[in-house]
Amino acid sequence: MSNVIVQPSSTRPRKYNVIGTRPVRHDGVDKVTGKAIYAADLSLPNMAQGAYLRSPHAHARIISIDTSQAEAMPGVLAVATSADLPDPWDKTEELGEGCINYAHLSGNVLARKKALYRGHAVAAVAATDIHTAQQAARQIKVEYEVLPAVTWVLDAMEEDAPLLHDNLFTQTLGEKPTKPSNIGQHIHFEQGDIEQGFAEADVVIEREYRTETVHQGYIEPHASVALWNEDGRLKIWTATQGSFTVRQQLAELLKIPVSKITVVPCEIGGGFGGKIAVYEPPVAAVLSRKCGRPVKLAMRRDEVFEGTGPTPGSFMRVKMGATKEGRLTAAKAWLAYDAGAFPGGMIGPGSMCVFSCYDIPNATVDGYDVVLNKPKTQAYRAPGATQAALATETVIDEIAVELGIDPVDFRLQNAAKEGTRRVDGPTYPRIGLVETLQALKESEHWNSPLEGPNRGRGVACGFWFNAGLKSSAAANVNDDGTVTLVEGSPDIGGTRTSLAMQLAETLGIAAEEVHPQVVDTDSVGYTDVTGGSRVTFSTGLAAHKAALDIQDQMIKRAAELWECQPDDIQVDAGTYGYNDHKQTFKELAVELSSTGEAIVGRAAVNPQGSTNAFSANIVDVEVDPETGKVKILRFTTAQDAGKAIHPSYVEGQMQGGSVQGIGWALNEEYFYDDRGAMKNASFLDYRMPTSYDVPMIETIIVEVPNPDHPFGVRGVGEVSIVPPPAAITNAIHQATGLRMHHLPISPPRLHQAIAERNGQ
Amino acid sequence: MATIFIPAPLQDLTGGLAEVELEAVSLGEVIARLEARFPGIKDRLCDDDQLSPALQASINHVMTRQMRAEVGPDSEVHFLPAIGGG
């Protein structure tokens, strides 16, 4: 096993003192000693406990809700239904990480006229204790008219499918439809001449794929505590990826100004995109307003599975053609992703990513966003890209086999590079896919033999955009020469430390001399969500600029002290000098603290470019032909990180995404019965990989610096989930001779395919 | 002049033109000039006077939804689906 950092000869690495080192994370002690505070840990004086009532039906009209019996129970303090939420705006707003329609969001938080999926929240109760709240929720009488449900994307697209929303008209840049349907959006891209492209191909492969609904599987269930004060101010402690996004959603859903709301981001036990849209915060807020007490509302695991947003199930058809010399000439994709109960799923990025690893002169993509009777889907680590990569990367593999070309060489031959025009239009700036594939090709893993029966090796690559967006930071120089960094990005993957390191590098001090704090929405400038792999890039840029602000102030103050001009002062690796004067940052900071005002650095940034991340995998598997079980023997992931600020955290993101991708490939899926009820809503039955299922994931960090960041940072949090399912599918083909087209390739599914192949 | 890439579903309004060159200093002006030349195109791209929430624009690799976003003489402008991340 190895972890390797590769700096391609095409780049000119800079020398750093802090960046690239591996200091102990600032929040490490709190987390390993159990002292970190999560939302469910909070206990406020006189706090009530909340519980939900959820729909037992996948699709039903709500005729009436009678809460009288529940309200009469001793210990019950308040009951909330959608009637307690203001009438929602039919307004769609960009929240920094995708758009939210408030009418849909409000209807998802508490069902209005219809329950649209099993587990859809219908009402909630606050009581003096959790047991009373749960018991009271069961006493709420809801009269339903049960309607036919649809849970498969192609069924939902049929003309005669049960219609979820009678006001949903397909959003398209073409002619507006006149009839409602379950198709929320149709996306169409064209590049070149697709017919000509396929006519030029010597090999053309077309395949169909299906993937099932998969949950992010974060270990911490959703939880919030709300306190709606008599003065009209609302304070929320919550598990979220974006405190300012929660504030904005609450303001819109409750129709109160953002200035009346404070959101405190607690420590977060994973999110992966699933903790951006709100579920329980507005409900806890309404209950708190009604009962005049703080209210805690925390979900159970089954509620997380059935009532929050997983990633879409999908149907995909991909056709690609290449010349016998191995040059891709044409590609065509038809993608249908389920959006869950409300439109606005992951089809946009899926359509943009499906061919984004390759330079293909002629291509078309059609993508459909389809509503059906499952929970509203949400982002999940590179949302939409993993499904699409399964289709493209397995067709690519099949073409390479057909042409007798090494699969890495075939990818290198066609890899996107600077100047390549994607099928959706834009051309790439400097990117690192070629270097990432080259690193994979030169790895010890790729150059070692794989021997033994029923074993196979597969490769695949993947792309994800990554975002910039708004971030703010402030940094206070303390009397002892340390610096407190105040920022607003909830820390999911060690970002406190990666931000502190960028500030430290800029100031020329040690990472341990910086104390990073993630603070509430009243205590820092607006900061978009922790998502889109953006925090180390964008909030890191804010930390860097705050440090430059401090440095500027230190220079001015030192010039006053040393009676010279600011331009006379030299700063070198944190040492300030002028003639005989020479002081470290710490020495100067201590001296300055007693000679004038405090030094506070500030920055707010809004970088808009994408940081363009690429990842590639090699995986070795062994298939048990008797059971269909797939064992991962060895797994290597290579990824362009631009510049790894803290290599251990980059490796952690690469390994974590790989393991999630292994889960998609081999086990994870929602099982629905014919009435749309999920049958495996627990971690016992929803099979995620554990440490017993995977080997140590080997990592190769490739550093092709991002020209749009002072340290070259690219986002690293998401793309690692993209290639694993395709790489594993390709490895299973080599092991068994079978091309699998349906994820997950669980033991029953693979066993059946083997049996059918063997004529059993 | 800036080059505006016309998404395929809008090319029924541009007589099949996939690229249009025009002079504009902002995204809003790009859309206004497209509308003047190809009536009806603004209605497909915008809700009221804002870019449709389902869309974003790419101006020389920079993603934006701001109608005031700067467009230069050598800019490439694309209209793309809005995306989120995890």
Side-chain angles (χ1 to χ4, degrees), chain A residues 6 434-444 446 638 700 702:
Chain A
V6 177
V434 168
E435 289 83 352
T436 302
L437 287 166
Q438 200 65 44
L440 208 66
K441 188 180 175 184
E442 292 166 8
S443 69
E444 191 272 330
W446 186 245
I700 304 172
V702 180

Side-chain angles (χ1 to χ4, degrees), chain A residues 72-115:
Chain A
M73 284 178 60
V76 170
L77 301 168
V79 179
T81 68
S82 62
D84 295 296
L85 291 170
D87 286 338
W89 320 100
D90 186 15
K91 168 183 169 186
T92 303
E93 191 168 63
E94 168 66 39
L95 285 178
E97 266 290 86
C99 296
I100 285 183
N101 177 290
Y102 288 113
H104 297 157
L105 182 63
S106 182
N108 196 37
V109 162
L110 284 171
R112 286 183 172 262
K113 294 174 182 166
K114 281 166 90 177

Side-chain angles (χ1 to χ4, degrees), chain A residues 92 94 97-99 171 173-175 188-190 241 272-273 276 349 352 379 383 421 424-427 464-465 608 718, chain B residues 5 7-10 12 43-45 52-56 58 61-65 76 78 80-86:
Chain A
T92 303
E94 168 66 39
E97 266 290 86
C99 296
Q171 204 165 38
L173 284 174
E175 291 283 347
H188 180 72
F189 300 134
E190 283 181 20
Q241 293 179 235
F272 311 106
I276 297 173
M352 294 163 81
R421 188 173 294 288
D424 52 315
T427 56
W464 182 245
F465 302 94
Q608 294 285 334
E718 295 172 276
Chain B
F5 287 74
L10 291 177
D12 61 328
D43 188 45
R44 303 251 195 111
L45 289 169
S52 161
L55 295 176
Q56 60 181 337
S58 163
H61 311 302
V62 174
M63 302 298 180
T64 183
R65 295 181 31 78
E76 264 195 15
H78 300 267
L80 303 171
I83 54 170

Side-chain angles (χ1 to χ4, degrees), chain A residues 703-724:
Chain A
E703 295 188 331
V704 177
N706 174 12
D708 294 327
H709 189 278
F711 303 126
V713 169
R714 297 183 193 272
V716 298
E718 295 172 276
V719 73
S720 54
I721 197 174
V722 179

Side-chain angles (χ1 to χ4, degrees), chain A residues 234-280:
Chain A
L234 172 63
K235 190 164 186 176
I236 298 273
W237 293 260
T238 188
T240 180
Q241 293 179 235
S243 45
F244 286 88
T245 305
V246 170
R247 187 180 71 169
Q248 182 67 23
Q249 292 174 80
L250 287 172
E252 297 286 354
L253 292 176
L254 302 172
K255 294 192 175 173
I256 58 175
V258 291
S259 57
K260 295 271 190 188
I261 305 169
T262 303
V263 177
V264 184
C266 299
E267 292 293 351
I268 179 169
F272 311 106
K275 288 181 182 165
I276 297 173
V278 295
Y279 299 96
E280 80 291 351

Side-chain angles (χ1 to χ4, degrees), chain A residues 207-218:
Chain A
R207 297 287 177 258
E208 292 181 350
Y209 299 85
R210 172 175 176 157
T211 69
E212 300 300 328
T213 298
V214 176
H215 200 272
Q216 298 87 346
Y218 32 81

